[in-house]
Amino acid sequence: MNTPLRRQLIILPSLILIGVLFSISAQATTTQARSERGAEVIRSLNQGSDQPNLEAMREEFPFLAEATEAYALGDIWSRPGLDDRTRQLAAMAVLAALGELSMMRVHAGYALNIGVSEEELKEMVYLITVPVGFPRAIAASQVLSELLAERNN
């Protein structure tokens, strides 16, 4: 076998390995940066605190917690274009409309944390009666009432 070709065949696996390792390390840095952005979003919405549901998820479902923090929060929630009030009102309305009341409660809490008024949250509940009907709006109103009662005590 010709020597230059032989040298190339010996070096090729090493180059492939270096490329794979570089790719993995670059991805880890990117994921870490995305997670850090996501953690900052949570702290900004949650009065400087971690999100208890997310922290509990880390124990049993670490991949889901990381994906939530890096993608949903770090990539999507931190995008420019909408302010936090608009994002929270939209999230609350959509989650209420879908019947995802535990997540609606979390986002209603964030909305209150950043200055959305109780009246504005109630208006979002009224608004969803049109596209999704009274049963979902009533269920959302009950969850919102519980949250407001807890916060006002």
Side-chain angles (χ1 to χ4, degrees):
M1 184 180 246
N2 149 345
T3 305
L5 179 58
R6 181 187 223 177
R7 210 171 307 147
Q8 288 174 353
L9 289 176
I10 292 171
I11 293 173
L12 185 61
S14 298
L15 292 175
I16 291 172
L17 180 59
I18 289 169
V20 168
L21 291 175
F22 178 75
S23 173
I24 289 170
S25 71
Q27 183 179 12
T29 301
T30 301
T31 301
Q32 181 180 358
R34 293 166 59 227
S35 290
E36 288 171 5
R37 273 196 318 269
E40 184 54 38
V41 167
I42 285 291
R43 285 190 294 276
S44 73
L45 296 173
N46 208 30
Q47 300 175 324
S49 299
D50 292 332
Q51 210 300 323
N53 294 340
L54 183 61
E55 296 309 311
M57 196 182 346
R58 283 187 208 286
E59 296 296 317
E60 289 190 75
F61 300 95
F63 175 78
L64 184 56
E66 181 182 312
T68 300
E69 189 172 67
Y71 176 70
L73 298 166
D75 289 346
I76 302 302
W77 212 265
S78 63
R79 289 177 53 81
L82 293 175
D83 63 11
D84 285 341
R85 288 177 55 79
T86 304
R87 287 183 200 282
Q88 289 309 323
L89 288 169
M92 187 208 152
V94 168
L95 291 164
L98 292 171
E100 297 294 334
L101 299 178
S102 64
M103 291 303 299
M104 182 216 79
R105 179 186 171 102
V106 169
H107 286 276
Y110 291 158
L112 291 168
N113 289 346
I114 62 170
V116 175
S117 72
E118 292 181 13
E119 288 307 312
E120 289 171 305
L121 295 180
K122 289 177 182 179
E123 286 299 322
M124 295 309 293
V125 171
Y126 299 146
L127 181 65
I128 68 166
T129 61
V130 176
V132 300
F134 282 91
R136 290 240 169 122
I138 290 169
S141 74
Q142 292 167 342
V143 170
L144 183 59
S145 290
E146 291 169 6
L147 174 65
L148 296 175
E150 287 173 15
R151 290 211 168 202
N152 290 327
N153 287 333

